[in-house]
């Protein structure tokens, strides 16, 4: 397919509005982890979509929130830098004041329309339409893949003429080991309660392929307290086994091959306020 237009589009919004779900729906496969907990995404994730002569490069960003740790400061910085030099912005409800400061056209995407009544949806669209002169207001359900194709067609008008920015078979700029680490962290968020999963980080220490194609993965899960380590491991190792089994299933789907996954848990107190550790865990400035 000949690429005639290409451009970068940031996806921004408050925590837990469905940015990563939309990213996965646009790409057509899972490259960003998704949970019902806010602040799931920590890094900027680049997603590449090729369609009808256009290459869309979507930037999935962390939810913009009030930071309470050095890691939180980093996440907010990622959002701000991701809207600084793009061809368009997809705004998932809110952040109107910041969007007004940008020169790029903004498309307001109202996600999760499967959870509201039609009359309420129309009312919300009217309110946001009055608050800012959006290029378009698009209601979608990323979870049900409703309105996603229409959104891509609309966004094509904002792409400038130019060659493709990434190879045609590339769907994300994330290294495979980073995607695997994020999948494990997703399962921590899904299986654990309260603050514990937000205080975890995952490091892939071994990533190798056997002659028969099987991937050997060793992963270390870091938490902030010894008491949290016990909860992550669980009685007789049951919780860690559950997390690892769920993660291995998704990693095998992503890698397209069998995976042998081993996990360990270590304590790194207050790592979210230690910039050296934050960088070691893969959260780096661009």
């Amino acid at each position: 397919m000949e690429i005639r237009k290409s451009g970068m589009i940031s996806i921004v919004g408050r925590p837990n509005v469905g940015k990563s779900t939309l990213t996965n729906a646009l790409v057509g496969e899972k490259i960003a982890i998704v949970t019902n907990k806010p602040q799931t995404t920590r890094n900027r994730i680049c997603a590449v979509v090729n369609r009808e002569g256009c290459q869309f490069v979507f930037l999935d960003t962390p939810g913009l929130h009030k930071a309470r740790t050095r890691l939180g400061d980093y996440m907010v910085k990622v959002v701000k830098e991701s809207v600084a030099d793009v061809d368009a912005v997809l705004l998932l409800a809110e952040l109107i004041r910041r969007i007004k400061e940008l020169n790029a056209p903004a498309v307001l995407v109202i996600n999760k329309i499967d959870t509201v009544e039609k009359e309420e949806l129309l009312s919300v669209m009217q309110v946001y339409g009055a608050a800012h002169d959006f290029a378009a207001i698009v209601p979608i359900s990323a979870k049900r893949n409703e309105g996603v194709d229409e959104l891509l067609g609309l966004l094509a008008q904002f792409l400038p003429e130019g060659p493709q920015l990434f190879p045609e078979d590339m769907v994300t700029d994330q290294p495979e080991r980073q995607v695997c680490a994020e999948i494990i962290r997703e399962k921590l968020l899904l299986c654990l309660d309260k603050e514990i999963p937000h205080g975890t980080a995952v490091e892939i220490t071994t990533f190798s392929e056997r002659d028969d194609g099987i991937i050997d993965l060793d992963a270390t899960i870091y938490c902030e307290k010894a008491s949290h380590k016990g909860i992550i491991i669980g009685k007789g190792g049951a919780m860690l086994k559950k997390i690892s089994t769920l993660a291995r299933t998704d990693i095998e789907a992503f890698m397209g091959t069998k995976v042998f996954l081993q996990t360990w848990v270590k304590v790194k107190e207050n790592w979210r306020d230690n910039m050296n550790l934050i960088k070691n865990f893969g959260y780096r400035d661009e």
Side-chain angles (χ1 to χ4, degrees):
M1 176 176 59
E2 181 186 0
I3 300 297
R4 300 183 303 276
K5 299 173 66 178
S6 61
M8 307 188 77
I9 301 172
S10 286
I11 304 175
V12 300
R14 295 290 184 188
N16 209 30
V17 295
K19 297 182 295 298
S20 294
T21 301
L22 175 57
T23 299
N24 292 338
L26 289 165
V27 175
E29 63 180 272
K30 182 174 183 175
I31 62 166
I33 65 173
V34 176
T35 76
N36 60 2
K37 293 182 172 68
Q39 297 168 36
T40 294
T41 301
R42 289 175 175 170
N43 257 331
R44 189 188 76 179
I45 296 171
C46 176
V48 183
V49 180
N50 297 308
R51 170 175 162 160
E52 298 178 358
C54 297
Q55 183 171 86
F56 303 87
V57 181
F58 293 101
L59 306 179
D60 181 18
T61 63
L64 195 59
H65 63 286
K66 186 175 182 179
R68 295 183 297 171
T69 64
R70 296 289 294 278
L71 176 62
D73 290 337
Y74 164 82
M75 291 162 65
V76 171
K77 182 182 178 183
V78 167
V79 179
K80 292 179 178 179
E81 290 180 348
S82 295
V83 298
D85 189 22
V86 294
D87 297 296
V89 176
L90 280 186
L91 175 68
L92 270 73
E94 303 198 33
L95 305 184
I96 301 294
R97 181 177 59 83
R98 292 189 181 277
I99 292 299
K100 287 181 180 295
E101 298 171 358
L102 300 175
N103 292 323
V107 175
L108 175 65
V109 178
I110 301 179
N111 193 22
K112 305 183 181 181
I113 60 172
D114 50 301
T115 64
V116 298
E117 297 294 332
K118 183 177 181 180
E119 292 75 15
E120 182 181 352
L121 174 62
L122 291 173
S123 176
V124 170
M125 292 174 66
Q126 290 175 352
V127 170
Y128 279 109
H132 182 70
D133 184 21
F134 289 101
I137 300 178
V138 185
I140 69 165
S141 173
K143 186 176 182 180
R144 295 187 178 182
N145 206 28
E146 296 176 3
V148 175
D149 284 343
E150 292 80 358
L151 177 59
L152 271 176
L154 172 70
L155 292 174
Q157 66 181 293
F158 302 115
L159 301 186
E161 298 288 337
Q164 64 189 62
L165 303 173
F166 293 94
E168 191 168 330
D169 60 350
M170 185 174 178
V171 295
T172 181
D173 65 342
Q174 294 185 98
E176 290 176 336
R177 47 194 307 148
Q178 182 67 21
V179 175
C180 294
E182 284 291 274
I183 288 173
I184 296 170
R185 191 169 66 84
E186 176 189 65
K187 305 315 174 189
L188 290 162
L189 285 161
L190 290 171
C191 294
L192 300 170
D193 293 326
K194 299 179 181 178
E195 180 63 16
I196 295 174
H198 288 293
T200 59
V202 179
E203 180 181 24
I204 302 298
T205 54
T206 298
F207 188 109
S208 60
E209 183 176 356
R210 304 180 191 177
D211 292 339
D212 59 4
I214 294 177
I215 301 293
D216 286 302
L217 270 184
D218 291 351
T220 301
I221 298 167
Y222 294 94
C223 59
E224 294 184 307
K225 298 179 181 179
S227 59
H228 291 178
K229 177 179 178 179
I231 294 171
I232 294 170
I233 294 173
K235 187 176 181 180
M239 178 57 73
L240 184 59
K241 182 178 179 181
K242 178 182 178 181
I243 291 166
S244 300
T245 299
L246 291 171
R248 188 185 71 249
T249 299
D250 277 11
I251 291 172
E252 287 180 340
F254 172 72
M255 297 298 299
T257 187
K258 288 287 185 180
V259 172
F260 182 70
L261 174 64
Q262 295 189 94
T263 52
W264 289 267
V265 184
K266 293 183 179 181
V267 178
K268 288 285 187 182
E269 293 186 2
N270 302 317
W271 71 264
R272 285 183 289 178
D273 280 316
N274 185 320
M275 283 307 300
N276 288 330
L277 289 176
I278 288 171
K279 291 179 180 179
N280 286 343
F281 295 150
Y283 309 120
R284 302 175 181 272
D285 293 340
E286 296 298 323

